[in-house]
Amino acid sequence: MKVQNIKDVDAFFKVIDECKGTVELVSPEGDRINLKSKLTQYLSMANIFSNGYIKELDLVAHDKDDVERLIKFMYQGE
């Protein structure tokens, strides 16, 4: 799933933390990085965003409820 124009990075990671299953960031090379890890969150985001918001991420959520949670965040910011 593509997630775009994330302006509130803290709220985005709060949603990730609330997910029950694994949520992975897929790199342009096809590598999958577990976003539930705090260390991974900090390291990957330092490389991805530097201007205060994230333009686009490719995510894989393994739990159906997590997919719905992420879609709700994208559309409603919750």
Side-chain angles (χ1 to χ4, degrees):
M1 113 179 8
K2 297 270 186 207
V3 179
Q4 300 177 327
N5 299 322
I6 300 170
K7 295 179 179 133
D8 188 343
V9 177
D10 290 331
F12 172 70
F13 282 125
K14 182 178 178 197
V15 170
I16 295 292
D17 290 339
E18 292 170 354
C19 289
K20 297 174 189 172
T22 302
V23 179
E24 298 170 318
L25 169 66
V26 181
S27 75
E29 295 80 23
D31 298 321
R32 291 184 176 207
I33 303 163
N34 180 3
L35 281 182
K36 298 275 297 202
S37 160
K38 289 293 184 195
L39 178 59
T40 301
Q41 287 178 5
Y42 292 122
L43 293 175
S44 61
M45 290 306 110
N47 291 326
I48 291 172
F49 98 99
S50 60
N51 61 355
Y53 87 107
I54 301 169
K55 183 176 179 182
E56 181 177 280
L57 294 176
D58 191 10
L59 300 179
V60 175
H62 295 273
D63 185 279
K64 182 185 112 177
D65 292 336
D66 295 340
V67 172
E68 292 174 12
R69 181 177 281 114
L70 291 164
I71 290 171
K72 182 178 178 184
F73 174 78
M74 284 185 344
Y75 288 107
Q76 299 175 1
E78 299 176 5

